[in-house]
Amino acid sequence: MHYTFELSTYNRLELVDITDQILHIIKTSKLKSGTAIIYIPHTTAAVTIIENYDPSVTSDINAVLSRLIPHNIHYAHTEGNADAHIKAALIGSSRTVFFENDEILFGTWQGIFFCEFDGPRRRKVFIKIIAD
Amino acid sequence: MHYTFELSTYNRLELVDITDQILHIIKTSKLKSGTAIIYIPHTTAAVTIIENYDPSVTSDINAVLSRLIPHNIHYAHTEGNADAHIKAALIGSSRTVFFENDEILFGTWQGIFFCEFDGPRRRKVFIKIIAD
Amino acid sequence: MHYTFELSTYNRLELVDITDQILHIIKTSKLKSGTAIIYIPHTTAAVTIIENYDPSVTSDINAVLSRLIPHNIHYAHTEGNADAHIKAALIGSSRTVFFENDEILFGTWQGIFFCEFDGPRRRKVFIKIIAD
């Protein structure tokens, strides 16, 4: 009914390109065309679609998010990862893409990125494929 | 074709756990498995998925959002709720979850939260269920 | 399988109301009811749902985003549009709406807006219609 894969992150903040894993699942589904919804079952991680050509884009995103939502200021949530919860709420736990003939209908430089905000951890990604 | 429920908010800023209402609608649909899309038909409210265990996470989110997008600075929109419009545009008007056997495929601590940014008000939530 | 339309933007930052184009595509589908997913195949643009009545809301959104994520500070990505990539990652590349009887199930003042963060450019919008 849904697909799952796991990944490991190695840093507290890390944006991991998971496009190949999603594409592999789309091919596994044997569907010619449809919609793939990517869902992150974690409260301190998220998923987004960004440029996958220049890796400096990911470091810019983490730098800006950490300036706006710092790690070590006072928060009511005292487990030391309140910033991660807020970033995850903002970016969001799911993204949706379309596919046709085993290709995701991306723009030229788009990729799907798992957003780790409280790593390193072992994480899961859920995918649902909806046929056209 | 779609489900609706209403809720009341009691403060200007309030994150309300609506997981139980969504789960009730999923059960009402009698579907074994599928996708539920939650949509907020308001321009000063939103929906997100966050930790539902420690309520201090919701106050941290509102504190950070209000620091980044203050209520009482000058805005072009002069109805006194420009901040609420901007927060809603950022967080977004919909979230998507998967379900199987009357359970939402959440991570351990996830819950679906209605984000009130301009309350108190009477609000609506729309839900669409897509069968697998 | 999916619908596409193009639009032109005329400024670096511009929020363009694309509700009419989406509604036209929904009518073209001849479906009585369903879900429309709007997807932006670009890494420096996004889509969101905001008030479409007072145009000052769009200038407030751009003013706040540009204060939080300035254009001309130092970024690792040196093509001069790192801010656009970050804004797009935050707002997101897709939004979902429901429709019934040729109407989008909006709140009173909602509209769908293409978010240009690195214009002026010629841009594309993809739409997928999922029948109930």
Side-chain angles (χ1 to χ4, degrees), chain C:
Chain C
M1 294 305 186
H2 76 284
Y3 299 85
T4 304
F5 69 88
E6 297 196 4
L7 76 159
S8 291
T9 59
Y10 301 95
N11 300 290
R12 181 153 202 278
L13 304 179
E14 193 174 338
L15 274 67
V16 184
D17 191 337
I18 56 172
T19 311
D20 285 350
Q21 290 97 313
I22 308 296
L23 199 52
H24 176 74
I25 286 166
I26 287 171
K27 289 176 182 173
T28 303
S29 78
K30 311 258 187 216
L31 290 169
K32 277 255 171 227
S33 70
T35 300
I37 304 171
I38 300 101
Y39 181 84
I40 308 300
H42 302 287
T43 55
T44 55
V47 59
T48 194
I49 293 171
I50 56 170
E51 172 170 319
N52 66 355
Y53 180 72
D54 177 3
S56 67
V57 168
T58 66
S59 63
D60 283 332
I61 289 173
N62 274 324
V64 166
L65 285 177
S66 297
R67 174 170 54 77
L68 299 177
I69 307 162
H71 181 200
N72 285 318
I73 60 172
H74 173 74
Y75 292 104
H77 182 67
T78 54
E79 290 178 20
N81 61 1
D83 59 322
H85 286 286
I86 300 165
K87 291 172 178 177
L90 264 176
I91 300 283
S93 52
S94 67
R95 286 293 189 271
T96 301
V97 293
F98 310 147
F99 64 91
E100 288 178 10
N101 302 316
D102 287 346
E103 299 280 352
I104 296 173
L105 293 177
F106 273 144
T108 316
W109 307 117
Q110 287 186 310
I112 303 164
F113 281 71
F114 180 90
C115 306
E116 174 63 80
F117 295 129
D118 192 34
R121 292 201 193 202
R122 189 77 179 158
R123 298 291 204 175
K124 285 182 184 169
V125 178
F126 296 161
I127 300 101
K128 178 82 76 174
I129 308 286
I130 299 175
D132 277 345

Side-chain angles (χ1 to χ4, degrees), chain B residues 58-71:
Chain B
T58 66
S59 64
D60 283 332
I61 289 173
N62 274 325
V64 166
L65 285 177
S66 296
R67 173 170 56 77
L68 298 177
I69 308 162
H71 181 200

